[in-house]
Amino acid sequence: MQFKHVTLDFDGSVAILKLDHQEVMNAVSVDMLGGLSDALDAIEEKKDEVRCVVLTGAGRAFCTGANLQGRNNQSKKTKAGMTLETGFHPFLRRIRNLHCPIVTAVNGPAAGAGMSFALLGDMILCARSSYFLQAFRRIGLVPDCGSTWLLPRLIGKARSVELSLMGERLPAEKALEWGLVNRVHDDGVLMEEAMKLARDLASGPTVALSLIRKLYWDSPENSFEDQLNLEFQCQLRAGDTEDFREGVGAFLEKRPAQFKGK
């Protein structure tokens, strides 16, 4: 399926969402944000079938941030940041609240907003040649798209501030060493490995996996008591699924579980 600067394909129970504006290395425009919204609508329409999403970029880049082309030629200047609440933030919120796990396959540069998009993955896989870049300071702006929330929680304040103040590239291998990403693969096998992982997640107990996502997203803002209560609520819900009954039965019968995501 083709949307504005976005392609969406389905491989069984895996949806492959691809940023696709290669002329600008998949920089994000208002049009692309609209395409992403339409693609997420299509995924939601197949909610019962789609059990994992892979987010990646077409061509040489994952995403090089906001598309600045033509900005200096605008007859009516738009204040920097105005599209955050109208375009970027709705997409970020929808990704956070998605019903299934997300694998990001970072196939090239992930800069600015593109770095935030990449870090939204529950599992983050990188091509060996890829890198991350907090590019905002290079154009006189501050980090956005949730990066100042995500980064300190992933790699700590010192490294987060350094990346943002200095605007230096963070290679995939160093990102792995810092614990920012999960795995690094040779460029030629990145998508193969991402799909292998996505299929594994898609064959799992999807309701429980979505609740696991929620638990870890909410954890940084919760007190210990709040988190215990949330775990209790989520466990009640997970324990009421067919997949829980199947998992226990498979364990007792010493056979592989056949989860249905219900």
Side-chain angles (χ1 to χ4, degrees):
M1 302 174 72
Q2 188 70 47
F3 302 97
K4 194 67 175 177
H5 303 319
V6 173
T7 57
L8 175 65
D9 296 300
F10 297 98
D11 185 331
S13 53
V14 177
I16 305 161
L17 182 58
K18 188 175 292 186
L19 309 177
D20 193 359
H21 194 184
Q22 297 182 50
E23 296 84 352
V24 292
M25 297 183 74
N26 303 327
V28 186
S29 60
V30 172
D31 285 343
M32 179 184 280
L33 289 167
L36 286 168
S37 178
D38 291 340
L40 288 177
D41 287 343
I43 289 172
E44 287 297 320
E45 288 174 6
K46 295 193 172 194
K47 187 174 180 179
D48 292 338
E49 302 170 38
V50 175
R51 298 172 65 184
C52 187
V53 173
V54 174
L55 176 63
T56 191
R60 298 183 296 117
F62 177 78
C63 174
T64 54
N67 188 346
L68 301 178
Q69 286 198 359
R71 183 170 179 84
N72 287 339
N73 298 323
Q74 291 175 353
S75 58
K76 183 177 180 180
K77 297 295 183 182
T78 301
K79 287 187 177 180
M82 289 300 292
T83 57
L84 287 175
E85 192 59 28
T86 58
F88 286 91
H89 291 175
F91 171 70
L92 297 170
R93 292 179 179 119
R94 290 186 72 178
I95 288 291
R96 169 174 176 164
N97 295 315
L98 201 65
H99 70 281
C100 63
I102 304 165
V103 176
T104 46
V106 185
N107 56 303
M115 183 171 179
S116 294
F117 286 11
L119 298 181
L120 288 171
D122 302 301
M123 294 291 291
I124 306 167
L125 278 58
C126 295
R128 208 168 299 280
S129 66
S130 67
Y131 64 85
F132 297 92
L133 177 65
Q134 283 287 285
F136 303 94
R137 61 97 69 192
R138 297 189 175 195
I139 56 171
L141 290 178
V142 302
D144 58 26
C145 289
S147 58
T148 59
W149 189 93
L150 289 163
L151 282 171
R153 287 163 173 79
L154 292 171
I155 57 175
K157 178 187 173 184
R159 285 171 170 166
S160 301
V161 171
E162 180 179 352
L163 286 176
S164 301
L165 289 182
M166 302 309 296
E168 296 172 343
R169 292 184 180 185
L170 179 67
E173 295 282 5
K174 180 61 72 172
L176 180 64
E177 180 185 324
W178 283 6
L180 189 66
V181 305
N182 296 99
R183 302 174 188 179
V184 174
H185 296 287
D186 290 338
D187 292 27
V189 299
L190 174 66
M191 279 305 296
E192 177 185 343
E193 294 295 332
M195 290 301 298
K196 187 188 302 182
L197 177 59
R199 292 187 188 104
D200 182 43
L201 290 168
S203 67
T206 317
V207 174
L209 298 185
S210 70
L211 292 170
I212 290 170
R213 294 187 76 234
K214 176 177 176 56
L215 284 166
Y216 281 105
W217 269 109
D218 290 357
S219 174
E221 303 305 311
N222 283 344
S223 68
F224 182 62
E225 286 299 324
D226 290 336
Q227 196 67 12
L228 288 179
N229 290 332
L230 185 59
E231 288 177 352
F232 170 63
Q233 294 163 15
C234 290
Q235 201 68 290
L236 286 177
R237 186 177 170 194
D240 198 36
T241 60
E242 293 179 19
D243 281 344
F244 170 62
R245 292 185 282 278
E246 164 63 13
V248 172
F251 174 79
L252 294 175
E253 296 167 19
K254 296 181 172 57
R255 61 172 175 80
Q258 300 295 317
F259 295 118
K260 296 180 180 179
K262 300 179 180 178

